[in-house]
Structures are given as C-alpha cells and as structure tokens.
Amino acid sequence: MKKHPEQNEQFEAQLRNLPDTVNQSLAGLTAGTELNNRIQMAVRDSRASRQKKSFPVRRFVSVAGVCAAAVALFVGLSPLLSSPANAPLIQSSPLGDKPTATERTLRADLTGSDVSIGQKQSVPSYRNLWSSSSDSSTFPLIGVNGSYYRMMTSPRSVSSSLLGASLGTIAEYTTEPSLSGTNVMLSNKAAVGTEVYGISGMSSTFVAAEVDGQMRLFQRVSFNGNALKGSETLADVMQLSGHVASIELSGVGTITDTSVCADLISLLLNDATYESSGSLSAKQSLLIELDNGLVYQFTVKNDKIASCGTWSCPEFFEAFEAACE
C-alpha cells in the first residue's frame, strides 16, 4: 500500500529523531558508543530497505507457469503430430475376434479353474473332471431335496463372484447317501451346517459348497435312479445357452468358434432324446467350457451322452465332426 508524501516526511523525521527519542526515554541514562552505533545502523538500514523496489514475484510465477504448461503441451502433442495420418490413437481389435490361447488361459486362472479347453488340438485326449472317492465308494456329492450334484476336480476353488443365492445348509452327513431320503439336504463330503450356493444363473446345473476350506464345484448328475424331476428337460438341468465358449470332444476335436458352439448346443438341447436315469461307463468325454471359466462334462459312449440321465443325439455328433473338418 502506498503512503502519502506527508506521511513519508513525518516518518523520515521520526527516524532522524530516533537517537534523541531513545535518550529521552532512558530518562538521562547515557548510551554507550556501541548502542549509538547500533541505533544509527538501524536507521540507515530502514531507509535503504524503503528505497528498494521489489520484483513482482506473482507475475514471475504466472509467466513461468504459462511457459511450463506450453512446453508440456508441446511435448505431449509431439507424438500425435508426428504419427501417420491414418494411425489409430487407441489400439483395438474388432469385436468378436477369437481370444488367443493366452487370453483364455488367463481367464481360466482368474476363476481358479484348472482346465481350459480353448487351445486347439487335432485330436484331444480323454480328460475326466469327475471327482471320485478315495475308497471306491460313492462319489463325493451333495443332495438337494432329491437333486444330486457330483463334485468336480476343476476348479479347485470357485470364485465368490460366481456364487448365487444360498440354497440352504447341509442337514445330514452320511457315507451311504443312497439310503437317505430325498427331502433333505445331505452330503458325503461337505460337513453338516455347510452353506450350499447355486452358481449364479445356473443353480439347476451347478452348486458350490466349502470342502476342506475350499469352495468346490458340484455338477448336476444322476444318482441312485434319480435324474430329472417332474417335467424337467435337458435345458433345465443344463443351463448353458448363451454362455458356451468352446467344446471339446475327446478323440475327435475342439471347436472354439462361439457361434458354431451355440448352434451345436441348441441342436443338442432340441434334438436329444432322454433314454434313462442311469449313467454311462466310458473313456470319452464331452467338455463344454463356459464364459465364466467353468467346465461342464458329459460322459460319451457312441452317440449317447450322460450326466443328469442318459441321452441319445446322433445329430449332434454328426454336426460336431462336420464342424471339425
């Protein structure tokens, strides 16, 4: 803030009279040479500081900031200005391109799956994902009021993001599930009190429950003469439509084109004929990998498949072989 000229003159006079003022304030005390020198130096320093003109720092900072921003903008734009005219700013791939084998493996890792069937093989070997008991007794299962689910070896732990609503808790643990009723939630693997969850959108196909500290996957199967319930169809117990990523038929081939997979699954669901509530014993498998990383398994024998009941569908196998050619 600027001072008025009269105020400046008054201030100058006060500074000139400072020694006398000090002497008067000290009530007759005599200031020594050192004290007088310090007072005179203070007067001179004050005058000198008032005569200095300060540089406008705010303006300097503002100008420096603008310069820095301009340099940064130039550096940032340089790669874009020097790029070819047709070069895309963001690298992308067309929607619907097939994922690479690496991408499919990564997806399987994210869901904790041990099996991925996205890698093409000329003739895939037999792979069995059914879990078996160590003593050759009944396979590990969960019974949900007459619907039975067999434990799978893959994945070793189901991601919590795949879990749907709770279906209840295990009320009975038994080593002889075939002797138990169908109006109870039971298991020969999961402990009493264990929560059983449906897989989101697929609870009639898969359930999950904790076994030995891991959330394990169980697939709907036939057991003790029980397969379909009431008016259920293959589509009801195999809720896979719209989720199939690839299909592998051991001894034949692998299909990774999702549109072809969708057509094959539609053919199977529409044309398969239910034969019995039993199962098959064979060394051929049909593995169906889903977009959530889970894998559904059928046992295959000739033109029949078995999981929740045994079904016949020669049209499916003919179409599959044709798609592999």
Side-chain angles (χ1 to χ4, degrees):
M1 181 176 66
K2 293 183 178 180
K3 291 184 178 181
H4 194 275
E6 294 179 357
Q7 293 177 329
N8 289 338
E9 293 176 1
Q10 183 178 3
F11 185 68
E12 291 282 355
Q14 290 175 347
L15 288 176
R16 286 195 300 271
N17 297 329
L18 182 59
D20 296 335
T21 302
V22 171
N23 287 333
Q24 292 175 5
S25 299
L26 293 176
L29 293 177
T30 302
T33 304
E34 182 180 355
L35 181 57
N36 279 323
N37 289 338
R38 290 171 62 186
I39 293 173
Q40 294 298 332
M41 289 178 63
V43 172
R44 289 195 300 270
D45 291 344
S46 177
R47 288 174 178 173
S49 64
R50 292 180 64 254
Q51 292 174 357
K52 290 182 180 179
K53 293 183 178 180
S54 60
F55 187 82
V57 177
R58 184 178 301 175
R59 180 179 299 176
F60 171 76
V61 173
S62 177
V63 172
V66 171
C67 292
V71 171
L73 181 62
F74 175 77
V75 172
L77 288 176
S78 293
L80 301 181
L81 297 175
S82 60
S83 300
N86 296 327
L89 299 182
I90 299 176
Q91 299 295 329
S92 61
S93 59
L95 183 65
D97 276 7
K98 298 178 184 178
T100 64
T102 300
E103 289 170 340
R104 298 183 67 80
T105 301
L106 287 174
R107 183 183 65 198
D109 290 342
L110 288 174
T111 58
S113 179
D114 302 319
V115 174
S116 177
I117 62 176
Q119 298 180 1
K120 285 191 174 182
Q121 304 177 50
S122 55
V123 181
S125 58
Y126 169 69
R127 292 194 284 177
N128 178 31
L129 305 185
W130 302 122
S131 181
S132 300
S133 62
S134 58
D135 57 1
S136 300
S137 59
T138 303
F139 53 77
L141 61 77
I142 287 177
V144 182
N145 299 321
S147 297
Y148 295 91
Y149 299 80
R150 182 172 182 173
M151 192 166 79
M152 311 295 286
T153 60
S154 172
R156 286 170 292 183
S157 182
V158 177
S159 170
S160 59
S161 64
L162 300 182
L163 301 182
S166 170
L167 303 180
T169 58
I170 300 297
E172 179 183 341
Y173 179 87
T174 175
T175 57
E176 295 290 345
S178 60
L179 301 180
S180 298
T182 58
N183 59 344
V184 64
M185 188 170 290
L186 58 84
S187 179
N188 60 357
K189 192 65 175 178
V192 171
T194 300
E195 199 87 19
V196 179
Y197 299 90
I199 295 299
S200 183
M202 303 176 179
S203 59
S204 292
T205 305
F206 295 113
V207 299
E210 189 172 292
V211 175
D212 298 328
Q214 298 290 336
M215 188 63 69
R216 300 300 299 270
L217 182 71
F218 294 74
Q219 179 184 313
R220 180 81 177 268
V221 295
S222 304
F223 175 70
N224 197 33
N226 297 285
L228 302 181
K229 293 175 61 178
S231 59
E232 283 184 326
T233 66
L234 182 58
D236 294 322
V237 297
M238 182 182 162
Q239 299 169 312
L240 310 181
S241 295
H243 299 285
V244 178
S246 57
I247 306 175
E248 174 187 293
L249 179 59
S250 62
V252 179
T254 302
I255 297 175
T256 58
D257 187 308
T258 54
S259 62
V260 175
C261 289
D263 290 341
L264 287 170
I265 294 300
S266 178
L267 175 63
L268 181 62
L269 295 178
N270 291 327
D271 291 8
T273 302
Y274 183 67
E275 294 205 342
S276 73
S277 61
S279 58
L280 294 174
S281 178
K283 291 294 184 180
Q284 188 177 20
S285 61
L286 179 68
L287 302 181
I288 303 172
E289 185 180 27
L290 309 180
D291 55 11
N292 60 10
L294 302 181
V295 179
Y296 184 95
Q297 175 170 335
F298 279 110
T299 298
V300 178
K301 188 173 185 178
N302 300 324
D303 61 358
K304 294 180 174 56
I305 56 175
S307 176
C308 187
T310 296
W311 304 76
S312 174
C313 192
E315 300 87 352
F316 170 82
F317 293 100
E318 292 171 3
F320 189 95
E321 291 179 4
C324 288
E325 294 177 353

